[in-house]
Amino acid sequence: MAKFKDVGTSWRTVMKHTAMTAFIAREFSAGNHIDWIGRFCLIDLTAGDGTPAYDAPWHTASSPGIIASLALTSRKPVVIDLYERDEDTYDTLISNLAKHLPVLGYQRTADDRWRYEGIWLRASRQDGREAAPEHNSVVSISSHSYLNPTFQ
């Protein structure tokens, strides 16, 4: 399938980020008050390079930035997995994460991992279509399926 030449930079991106921000913020807001939700798992199957798509702060203009910043509002543990299959794009993603996550308070724990209190973030260079459920422990709304993160 041919890629659009304006992926990540078109008018659709601004709308996607607006919708993503509203949706994730509401999930955290509601989920923080539901006892049987033990933790949140956020998975970006097509993380991209993490470069701001338009003239706005990183944490509002890139999917990884939006996810990482909104995770800070959670009162429960959060696991974030970012997938990017293209090697060059992945390398740029890692550079952008290394540059911007410390500004939000995250500390780097490995080449592809960051942590902030009860938040674990990992970037993986693989196709999101191949993401296995056990890669994130279990993602489900059942109270019995929220397992501890398997990475530090």
Side-chain angles (χ1 to χ4, degrees):
M1 177 188 297
K3 280 186 166 183
F4 290 102
K5 292 182 181 180
D6 62 352
V7 168
T9 60
S10 75
W11 63 270
R12 294 181 302 272
T13 302
V14 177
M15 300 309 291
K16 179 191 83 166
H17 287 164
T18 301
M20 172 190 271
T21 299
F23 177 77
I24 294 172
R26 286 184 184 186
E27 290 293 308
F28 280 133
S29 179
N32 281 330
H33 300 286
I34 300 172
D35 292 337
W36 54 265
I37 293 180
R39 71 173 183 149
F40 296 98
C41 296
L42 299 168
I43 306 164
D44 190 340
L45 298 174
T46 56
D49 63 9
T51 301
Y54 41 90
D55 188 25
W58 179 77
H59 67 277
T60 64
S62 75
S63 296
I66 292 167
I67 293 168
S69 68
L70 288 174
L72 299 173
T73 68
S74 176
R75 292 183 295 189
K76 298 181 179 187
V78 180
V79 174
I80 302 167
D81 275 320
L82 307 174
Y83 290 89
E84 177 51 50
R85 67 182 179 180
D86 181 78
E87 187 172 0
D88 292 337
T89 304
Y90 175 79
D91 290 343
T92 304
L93 172 64
I94 293 295
S95 294
N96 278 314
L97 294 172
K99 176 181 177 183
H100 296 288
L101 286 175
V103 174
L104 296 177
Y106 287 80
Q107 293 184 332
R108 195 173 199 167
T109 61
D111 288 344
D112 60 350
R113 299 165 197 233
W114 285 263
R115 181 151 187 215
Y116 178 85
E117 296 180 4
I119 304 168
W120 294 266
L121 184 147
R122 173 177 44 201
S124 298
R125 195 184 79 72
Q126 74 179 71
D127 192 324
R129 293 177 293 187
E130 298 169 1
E134 64 270 9
H135 183 69
N136 295 298
S137 299
V138 177
V139 180
S140 170
I141 59 171
S142 164
S143 62
H144 303 291
S145 60
Y146 287 93
L147 306 175
N148 289 326
T150 56
F151 62 95
Q152 297 298 322

